[in-house]
Protein backbone atom coordinates (compact mmCIF):
# COMPACT_ATOMS: atom_id res chain seq x y z
CA UNK A 1 0.00 0.00 0.00
CA UNK A 2 1.59 3.33 -0.99
CA UNK A 3 2.24 5.77 1.86
CA UNK A 4 1.92 9.50 1.31
CA UNK A 5 3.48 12.60 2.88
CA UNK A 6 6.52 10.67 4.10
CA UNK A 7 9.87 12.44 3.86
CA UNK A 8 8.39 15.48 2.13
CA UNK A 9 9.53 18.02 4.73
CA UNK A 10 12.97 19.22 5.70
CA UNK A 11 13.35 18.52 9.46
CA UNK A 12 14.50 22.12 10.04
CA UNK A 13 11.30 23.54 8.60
CA UNK A 14 8.28 24.18 10.77
CA UNK A 15 5.41 22.18 9.32
CA UNK A 16 2.21 23.80 10.50
CA UNK A 17 -1.27 22.34 10.92
CA UNK A 18 -2.24 24.48 7.93
CA UNK A 19 0.51 22.93 5.77
CA UNK A 20 -0.59 19.47 6.84
CA UNK A 21 -4.24 20.10 5.94
CA UNK A 22 -3.21 21.38 2.51
CA UNK A 23 -0.99 18.38 1.70
CA UNK A 24 -3.39 15.82 3.20
CA UNK A 25 -6.32 17.13 1.15
CA UNK A 26 -4.30 16.98 -2.06
CA UNK A 27 -3.23 13.41 -1.26
CA UNK A 28 -6.79 12.34 -0.35
CA UNK A 29 -8.16 13.76 -3.60
CA UNK A 30 -5.45 12.05 -5.64
CA UNK A 31 -6.17 8.71 -3.95
CA UNK A 32 -9.93 9.01 -4.53
CA UNK A 33 -9.25 9.90 -8.17
CA UNK A 34 -7.59 6.51 -8.48
CA UNK A 35 -10.71 4.89 -7.00
CA UNK A 36 -8.87 3.99 -3.81
CA UNK A 37 -9.77 4.56 -0.18
CA UNK A 38 -7.60 7.11 1.66
CA UNK A 39 -6.57 6.00 5.15
CA UNK A 40 -5.34 8.70 7.50
CA UNK A 41 -3.12 6.91 10.00
CA UNK A 42 -1.69 7.92 13.32
CA UNK A 43 0.04 11.22 13.88
CA UNK A 44 -1.14 14.06 15.97
CA UNK A 45 -4.80 14.32 16.89
CA UNK A 46 -4.69 18.08 16.53
CA UNK A 47 -3.69 17.60 12.88
CA UNK A 48 -6.52 15.14 12.35
CA UNK A 49 -8.99 17.45 14.05
CA UNK A 50 -7.87 20.35 11.84
CA UNK A 51 -8.25 18.21 8.74
CA UNK A 52 -11.79 17.24 9.71
CA UNK A 53 -12.76 20.70 10.84
CA UNK A 54 -15.74 22.17 9.00
CA UNK A 55 -13.55 24.92 7.55
CA UNK A 56 -11.74 22.46 5.28
CA UNK A 57 -13.17 20.69 2.27
CA UNK A 58 -12.68 17.20 3.59
CA UNK A 59 -15.84 16.78 5.70
CA UNK A 60 -18.06 18.19 2.97
CA UNK A 61 -16.53 15.92 0.33
CA UNK A 62 -15.99 12.68 2.18
CA UNK A 63 -17.60 10.66 4.93
CA UNK A 64 -15.23 9.38 7.57
CA UNK A 65 -14.92 6.19 9.53
CA UNK A 66 -12.87 6.38 12.75
CA UNK A 67 -10.88 3.53 14.26
CA UNK A 68 -9.17 4.04 17.61
CA UNK A 69 -6.74 1.40 18.81
CA UNK A 70 -6.50 1.79 22.56
CA UNK A 71 -4.67 0.19 25.46
CA UNK A 72 -5.66 0.26 29.14
CA UNK A 73 -3.63 3.11 30.70
CA UNK A 74 -1.26 1.03 32.92
CA UNK A 75 -0.29 -1.07 29.90
CA UNK A 76 0.03 2.03 27.79
CA UNK A 77 2.62 3.34 30.26
CA UNK A 78 4.71 0.18 30.38
CA UNK A 79 4.49 -0.14 26.62
CA UNK A 80 5.68 3.46 26.19
CA UNK A 81 8.63 2.86 28.52
CA UNK A 82 9.67 -0.22 26.58
CA UNK A 83 9.19 1.62 23.30
CA UNK A 84 11.44 4.50 24.40
CA UNK A 85 14.12 2.03 25.57
CA UNK A 86 13.91 0.40 22.15
CA UNK A 87 14.22 3.76 20.40
CA UNK A 88 17.34 4.51 22.46
CA UNK A 89 18.79 1.13 21.43
CA UNK A 90 17.98 1.94 17.82
CA UNK A 91 19.93 5.19 17.86
CA UNK A 92 17.60 7.89 19.21
CA UNK A 93 20.59 9.67 20.78
CA UNK A 94 22.62 9.74 17.59
CA UNK A 95 19.63 11.13 15.73
CA UNK A 96 18.87 13.75 18.39
CA UNK A 97 22.54 14.78 18.40
CA UNK A 98 22.24 15.90 14.77
CA UNK A 99 19.80 18.58 15.90
CA UNK A 100 21.82 19.68 18.91
CA UNK A 101 23.53 23.03 18.55
CA UNK A 102 25.50 24.20 21.62
CA UNK A 103 24.94 27.81 20.57
CA UNK A 104 21.17 27.57 20.52
CA UNK A 105 18.63 26.60 23.12
CA UNK A 106 15.63 27.07 20.88
CA UNK A 107 13.46 23.99 20.77
CA UNK A 108 10.28 25.58 19.49
CA UNK A 109 10.50 24.83 15.78
CA UNK A 110 10.60 21.92 13.40
CA UNK A 111 11.76 18.52 14.55
CA UNK A 112 13.57 20.06 17.56
CA UNK A 113 10.15 20.40 19.10
CA UNK A 114 9.62 16.63 19.09
CA UNK A 115 9.82 14.55 22.22
CA UNK A 116 13.33 13.09 22.41
CA UNK A 117 15.24 16.17 21.27
CA UNK A 118 14.86 18.90 23.97
CA UNK A 119 15.23 16.33 26.78
CA UNK A 120 18.74 15.45 25.58
CA UNK A 121 20.02 19.05 25.64
CA UNK A 122 21.62 18.89 29.08
CA UNK A 123 23.31 15.57 28.33
CA UNK A 124 24.82 16.77 25.05
CA UNK A 125 25.82 20.08 26.61
CA UNK A 126 27.78 18.33 29.38
CA UNK A 127 30.04 16.45 26.95
CA UNK A 128 33.69 16.85 27.95
CA UNK A 129 32.74 18.98 30.95
CA UNK A 130 31.72 16.43 33.58
CA UNK A 131 32.90 12.99 34.70
CA UNK A 132 31.60 9.69 33.40
CA UNK A 133 29.37 9.06 36.39
CA UNK A 134 27.62 12.40 35.96
CA UNK A 135 27.25 11.72 32.24
CA UNK A 136 25.54 8.41 33.01
CA UNK A 137 23.21 10.14 35.46
CA UNK A 138 22.35 12.88 32.97
CA UNK A 139 21.65 10.30 30.31
CA UNK A 140 19.38 8.33 32.60
CA UNK A 141 17.56 11.53 33.60
CA UNK A 142 17.07 12.44 29.92
CA UNK A 143 15.68 9.00 29.08
CA UNK A 144 13.35 9.10 32.10
CA UNK A 145 12.12 12.50 31.00
CA UNK A 146 11.50 11.26 27.47
CA UNK A 147 9.49 8.35 28.91
CA UNK A 148 7.49 10.69 31.12
CA UNK A 149 6.76 13.15 28.32
CA UNK A 150 5.74 10.30 26.02
CA UNK A 151 3.29 8.99 28.64
CA UNK A 152 1.90 12.46 29.23
CA UNK A 153 1.41 12.90 25.50
CA UNK A 154 -0.35 9.53 25.26
CA UNK A 155 -2.73 10.49 28.09
CA UNK A 156 -3.46 13.85 26.47
CA UNK A 157 -4.17 12.07 23.18
CA UNK A 158 -6.64 9.71 24.83
CA UNK A 159 -8.46 12.63 26.48
CA UNK A 160 -8.49 14.45 23.18
CA UNK A 161 -10.02 11.49 21.35
CA UNK A 162 -12.73 11.22 24.01
CA UNK A 163 -13.39 14.95 23.72
CA UNK A 164 -13.64 14.84 19.92
CA UNK A 165 -16.08 11.96 20.19
CA UNK A 166 -18.16 13.96 22.66
CA UNK A 167 -17.97 17.39 21.02
CA UNK A 168 -18.32 16.47 17.37
CA UNK A 169 -20.44 13.39 17.80
CA UNK A 170 -17.96 11.39 15.75
CA UNK A 171 -18.61 7.72 15.83
CA UNK A 172 -15.17 6.56 16.87
CA UNK A 173 -14.84 2.78 17.06
CA UNK A 174 -12.63 1.80 19.98
CA UNK A 175 -10.56 -1.34 19.58
CA UNK A 176 -9.23 -2.58 22.89
CA UNK A 177 -5.76 -3.96 22.11
CA UNK A 178 -4.73 -4.49 25.75
CA UNK A 179 -4.83 -8.29 25.45
CA UNK A 180 -2.40 -8.18 22.52
CA UNK A 181 0.22 -6.63 24.79
CA UNK A 182 -0.42 -9.15 27.56
CA UNK A 183 0.28 -12.09 25.26
CA UNK A 184 3.51 -13.20 23.58
CA UNK A 185 4.49 -14.75 20.27
CA UNK A 186 1.74 -16.63 18.46
CA UNK A 187 -0.86 -15.83 21.14
CA UNK A 188 -0.19 -12.12 20.65
CA UNK A 189 -0.68 -12.52 16.90
CA UNK A 190 -3.91 -14.39 17.50
CA UNK A 191 -5.17 -11.70 19.90
CA UNK A 192 -4.21 -9.03 17.37
CA UNK A 193 -6.25 -10.71 14.64
CA UNK A 194 -9.24 -11.34 16.86
CA UNK A 195 -9.34 -8.02 18.74
CA UNK A 196 -7.96 -5.52 16.25
CA UNK A 197 -7.61 -6.76 12.69
CA UNK A 198 -10.91 -8.61 12.18
CA UNK A 199 -13.14 -6.05 13.93
CA UNK A 200 -11.41 -3.23 12.02
CA UNK A 201 -11.96 -4.95 8.70
CA UNK A 202 -15.62 -5.54 9.54
CA UNK A 203 -16.14 -1.92 10.54
CA UNK A 204 -14.49 -0.66 7.35
CA UNK A 205 -16.41 -3.15 5.18
CA UNK A 206 -19.72 -2.02 6.71
CA UNK A 207 -18.70 1.61 6.24
CA UNK A 208 -17.86 1.09 2.56
CA UNK A 209 -21.12 -0.79 1.90
CA UNK A 210 -23.11 1.98 3.52
CA UNK A 211 -21.28 4.52 1.35
CA UNK A 212 -22.17 2.55 -1.74
CA UNK A 213 -25.79 2.27 -0.64
CA UNK A 214 -25.95 6.03 -0.17
CA UNK A 215 -24.27 6.87 -3.45
CA UNK A 216 -25.30 4.17 -5.88
CA UNK A 217 -28.74 2.58 -5.68
CA UNK A 218 -27.67 -0.03 -8.26
CA UNK A 219 -24.91 -1.24 -5.99
CA UNK A 220 -27.48 -1.49 -3.24
CA UNK A 221 -29.66 -3.65 -5.41
CA UNK A 222 -26.77 -5.95 -6.12
CA UNK A 223 -25.99 -6.18 -2.44
CA UNK A 224 -29.51 -7.25 -1.39
C1 LIG B 1 -19.23 20.55 11.89
O1 LIG B 1 -20.56 21.05 11.75
C2 LIG B 1 -21.57 20.20 12.30
C3 LIG B 1 -22.93 20.76 11.94
O2 LIG B 1 -22.96 22.15 12.09
C4 LIG B 1 -21.33 20.12 13.82
O3 LIG B 1 -22.30 19.29 14.41
C5 LIG B 1 -19.94 19.52 14.08
O4 LIG B 1 -19.66 19.51 15.46
C6 LIG B 1 -18.85 20.33 13.37
N1 LIG B 1 -17.60 19.60 13.44
C7 LIG B 1 -16.43 20.17 13.70
C8 LIG B 1 -15.24 19.27 13.71
O5 LIG B 1 -16.32 21.35 13.92
C1 LIG C 1 -9.65 -3.88 27.68
O1 LIG C 1 -9.11 -5.19 27.76
C2 LIG C 1 -8.50 -5.48 29.00
C3 LIG C 1 -7.82 -6.85 28.89
O2 LIG C 1 -8.67 -7.80 28.34
C4 LIG C 1 -9.53 -5.40 30.12
O3 LIG C 1 -8.91 -5.67 31.35
C5 LIG C 1 -10.14 -4.00 30.12
O4 LIG C 1 -11.17 -3.93 31.07
C6 LIG C 1 -10.71 -3.65 28.76
N1 LIG C 1 -11.14 -2.25 28.78
C7 LIG C 1 -12.34 -1.86 28.35
C8 LIG C 1 -12.66 -0.41 28.49
O5 LIG C 1 -13.12 -2.62 27.85
Amino acid sequence: MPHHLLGIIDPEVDFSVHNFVHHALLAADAIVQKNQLPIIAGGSNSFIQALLNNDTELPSKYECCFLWMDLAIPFLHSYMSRRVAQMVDNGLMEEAKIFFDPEIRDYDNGIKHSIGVPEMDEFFRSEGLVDGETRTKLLKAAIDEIKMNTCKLACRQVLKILRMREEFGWQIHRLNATEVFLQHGGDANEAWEKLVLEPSMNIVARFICKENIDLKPTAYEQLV
Side-chain angles (χ1 to χ4, degrees):
M1 190 186 297
H3 286 59
H4 299 256
L5 311 192
L6 280 185
I8 60 161
I9 303 299
D10 185 314
E12 299 286 339
V13 171
D14 208 22
F15 189 66
S16 70
V17 167
H18 182 80
N19 297 142
F20 168 75
V21 169
H22 173 75
H23 286 280
L25 277 173
L26 286 181
D29 286 342
I31 294 164
V32 171
Q33 288 277 313
K34 283 188 277 182
N35 248 331
Q36 303 285 330
L37 185 71
I39 299 172
I40 301 161
S44 157
N45 286 327
S46 51
F47 277 32
I48 292 188
Q49 187 183 340
L51 183 62
L52 298 174
N53 189 298
N54 285 334
D55 299 338
T56 72
E57 297 164 45
L58 195 106
S60 57
K61 275 167 118 173
Y62 306 117
E63 262 199 71
C64 298
C65 173
F66 299 92
L67 299 176
W68 166 29
M69 196 183 89
D70 192 29
L71 270 186
I73 291 282
F75 298 101
L76 190 62
H77 281 184
S78 62
Y79 171 71
M80 288 289 174
S81 282
R82 261 186 295 145
R83 174 95 180 93
V84 169
Q86 205 177 49
M87 282 162 71
V88 171
D89 286 348
N90 291 345
L92 173 70
M93 328 260 307
E94 291 74 10
E95 207 176 322
K97 183 96 196 257
I98 298 170
F99 301 106
F100 171 70
D101 180 345
E103 303 295 317
I104 299 171
R105 275 188 193 265
D106 163 26
Y107 286 100
D108 292 337
N109 292 310
I111 194 130
K112 290 185 185 169
H113 190 54
S114 308
I115 292 179
V117 181
E119 294 89 343
M120 303 297 297
D121 180 87
E122 188 113 6
F123 173 72
F124 291 144
R125 215 165 273 282
S126 71
E127 195 170 357
L129 302 175
V130 297
D131 59 34
E133 197 185 329
T134 311
R135 288 282 286 164
T136 309
K137 270 191 197 148
L138 285 173
L139 177 59
K140 185 177 177 304
I143 293 172
D144 285 347
E145 208 186 335
I146 293 173
K147 287 181 180 172
M148 199 179 67
N149 287 339
T150 308
C151 288
K152 277 193 201 156
L153 175 70
C155 285
R156 279 204 305 273
Q157 298 282 39
V158 170
L159 290 176
K160 181 136 198 191
I161 291 169
L162 293 173
R163 218 169 41 231
M164 291 193 293
R165 173 147 82 173
E166 185 87 356
E167 262 177 50
F168 306 131
W170 291 345
Q171 208 200 345
I172 302 178
H173 302 275
R174 181 177 183 274
L175 301 149
N176 183 357
T178 307
E179 201 59 37
V180 179
F181 291 83
L182 295 176
Q183 304 291 345
H184 298 279
D187 289 342
N189 287 341
E190 219 170 275
W192 169 261
E193 286 186 10
K194 187 169 136 255
L195 298 169
V196 182
L197 187 61
E198 283 171 19
S200 300
M201 285 171 52
N202 287 335
I203 292 164
V204 173
R206 278 204 307 272
F207 170 75
I208 293 172
C209 288
K210 175 180 153 293
E211 283 272 277
N212 285 340
I213 290 164
D214 288 347
L215 296 175
K216 300 186 210 122
T218 49
Y220 173 67
E221 279 160 26
Q222 281 160 15
L223 278 170
V224 293

